[in-house]
Amino acid sequence: MRGNDNGGRLGEEFFTPGTSSFTEFLAAHRPELLSTRRILPDGVRAAPDRVPHGTTVLALAYRDGVLIAGDRRATMGNLIAQRDLEKVHPADDHTAVAFAGTVGLALDMVKLYQVELAHFEKIEGTAMTLDAKARRLAGMLRQNLGQAMQGLAVVPLLTGYDATAPEGERGRIFSFDVAGGLYEKRDFHAEGSGSPYARGALKKLFHRGMDRREAALAALQALYDAADDDSATGGPDINRRIFPIVSVITEDGFERLPEPETEELSREMVEQRRGRPDGPNATP
């Protein structure tokens, strides 16, 4: 972002002391660059079958931290708009965000949020606390409220590893509403059109102290149940080799499970469903 009349040199605003928030900096000096600005005239709503929407994402705490996962489908009304959408993204080394809702705005918001966290750390010389990261994302959602009321809503799911939390509670999960309401969830949560079915599966399968493999299989089972009952959620596509995205955040940082590992677990889960189509019983 350069000054308009300075021969390509940085504008005066870059040398003026101000906020450590990149979003507030843009709002003050170049608001037209913010994706959260209103893009539709007052009284106009987006047609739901003309804008791609992402669907089901979920998170669950496990022994070493927190796992976050999402299916790959985006829909436009009754059409499949994309089969391999990536809905889970690292926000920084120990935080990840996934989204349901309007795909274009969600991807822009994720990129802006990543810059926001990096900008704060460079200006302040330290990373935000996890609670502050959650509040900052809630503030960005409030800025998008006008578009949400016009049918262009984004619903993120935030997870992080909090080294300051008590042992066994360091994997934390935050959900939001379209108005920026912030809610911390315990153990597990899901968002998107298939979330009622995914939460039902996680309620059945979750237990404290799960290892990474158990947590990943529980997440895949939950996404499979969501796809089974929600047409907007995509299950594992064996023929195209398109599988859900599964990532974990631990003391060592963010890690996306390698594609071969996700494929192996997905195939194992699908094979289990051949003998038990409704999925495994609740964990004792």
Side-chain angles (χ1 to χ4, degrees):
M1 191 176 79
R2 298 181 175 179
N4 294 328
D5 301 313
N6 294 320
R9 293 175 295 174
L10 292 176
E12 180 181 336
E13 62 270 18
F14 287 91
F15 304 98
T16 303
T19 177
S20 58
S21 168
F22 184 74
T23 305
E24 292 179 8
F25 177 79
L26 278 185
H29 300 288
R30 294 290 296 276
E32 71 277 8
L33 296 179
L34 283 172
S35 60
T36 51
R37 71 190 188 279
R38 178 165 294 196
I39 60 175
L40 298 177
D42 289 340
V44 175
R45 286 185 58 84
D49 59 346
R50 294 292 183 269
V51 181
H53 281 73
T55 48
T56 309
V57 294
L58 59 84
L60 65 151
Y62 75 107
R63 184 179 61 198
D64 299 323
V66 63
L67 178 146
I68 185 167
D71 81 308
R72 307 294 296 276
R73 180 173 292 178
T75 59
M76 287 195 305
N78 64 327
L79 301 178
I80 297 176
Q82 188 173 348
R83 300 179 187 275
D84 60 352
L85 177 65
E86 299 201 4
K87 304 175 187 176
V88 180
H89 301 267
D92 63 13
D93 289 344
H94 288 87
T95 317
V97 61
F99 66 85
T102 307
V103 172
L105 290 179
L107 291 173
D108 278 354
M109 189 176 292
V110 167
K111 292 174 184 176
L112 182 60
Y113 185 58
Q114 292 168 334
V115 174
E116 179 80 6
L117 299 188
H119 180 79
F120 179 93
E121 187 167 352
K122 289 177 181 178
I123 296 297
E124 299 294 337
T126 185
M128 286 187 198
T129 66
L130 186 54
D131 289 295
K133 293 174 187 177
R135 291 193 297 270
R136 190 61 60 92
L137 184 54
M140 294 173 66
L141 283 169
R142 280 190 287 275
Q143 294 174 352
N144 192 58
L145 181 58
Q147 292 184 94
M149 295 298 99
Q150 293 179 309
L152 300 174
V154 176
V155 183
L157 182 62
L158 182 71
T159 60
Y161 183 87
D162 187 354
T164 66
E167 187 74 30
E169 300 178 12
R170 293 179 178 173
R172 300 175 64 189
I173 303 167
F174 299 89
S175 72
F176 306 82
D177 60 37
V178 295
L182 170 62
Y183 315 93
E184 183 165 5
K185 300 297 183 179
R186 190 173 180 84
D187 296 334
F188 59 85
H189 189 64
E191 292 287 359
S193 60
S195 61
Y197 314 108
R199 285 199 296 267
L202 290 174
K203 184 181 294 186
K204 177 179 67 172
L205 299 174
F206 177 85
H207 63 89
R208 297 285 179 88
M210 302 172 81
D211 63 25
R212 183 168 113 160
R213 178 180 172 83
E214 289 177 306
L217 280 171
L220 292 171
Q221 293 279 8
L223 289 172
Y224 191 100
D225 277 350
D228 201 33
D229 286 297
D230 172 45
S231 62
T233 302
D237 192 331
I238 302 295
N239 293 331
R240 295 185 178 90
R241 299 187 64 189
I242 299 173
F243 303 98
I245 293 175
V246 181
S247 299
V248 296
I249 312 170
T250 66
E251 183 179 11
D252 296 326
F254 174 92
E255 179 191 357
R256 175 170 167 171
L257 268 61
E259 190 75 19
E261 182 177 355
T262 307
E263 179 175 353
E264 177 192 348
L265 292 173
S266 296
R267 289 181 181 275
E268 177 182 330
M269 182 267 299
V270 170
E271 187 61 33
Q272 291 173 358
R273 291 281 180 144
R274 294 183 188 276
R276 188 183 290 271
D278 293 332
N281 293 328
T283 303

